[in-house]
Amino acid sequence: MEDYIGLDRKCEMLSSKRRLLQLFGKALREPPQLLLLRSALSIRSGSQEPWNWDIGRGALQSAHYDYGYVSEREVKSGAVNPYPVIFDAGSDILDEEMIAALSRYVEAGGIFIALHNTGRSTPLAANSWPVSKLTGFNVTACGKQGVVCFSNELPILKGWEGRQFRDEGHTVDWTNGRPRATAIALRPAASGTRALARWEDGSIAVGLRQLGKGRVIV
């Protein structure tokens, strides 16, 4: 070991090939900076949304991002707290305990990225949007269509400042099935909220909420 250390100090024999050694499995994996939330409750309830909206099924690999998976158990236990970002994967059914756990994660400094269908229902009440307690936004319309305009001053996503694009509010899922209406419109329902992008009628297309030390993006 001392010889390896000496050679590395002399000619960077190991440090210059760090990524290659990781790929060969000769080094411990670094903790990922991104976690994907796959809701066990949604899956047990028969929802297909966690399958349809899991960006770990190809999108992240093509962008060369490392990531890990978590479920409600890891969020509620606080095991996710050391990780900076949790990206939802279509958790359309969330209970009050899970929403409270996500709130604690964000307040401690984490970033939670919600999708258009995140927390749409509770186990007992469909389309009740319990996630609004976390995001700080109420959903006013589903299947929204039109032009999305990003703000000229963004605290994040600086490269999107001032951009506009037309959104028909439809997408084709991984089954290549019939396009489905997905886009939503939002309005503020709590303090700390901010519009990142708006629809033509002024309703919010992308919103951010500062909650404690962290942020929620929806």
Side-chain angles (χ1 to χ4, degrees), residues 162-176:
R163 288 195 180 188
Q164 299 183 16
F165 65 92
R166 182 162 187 82
D167 187 352
E168 298 299 331
H170 293 79
T171 187
V172 178
D173 65 20
W174 63 276
T175 63
N176 290 322

Side-chain angles (χ1 to χ4, degrees), residues 130-144:
V131 76
S132 295
K133 294 181 180 179
L134 170 65
T135 64
F137 293 93
N138 287 334
V139 175
T140 60
C142 297
K144 190 74 174 178

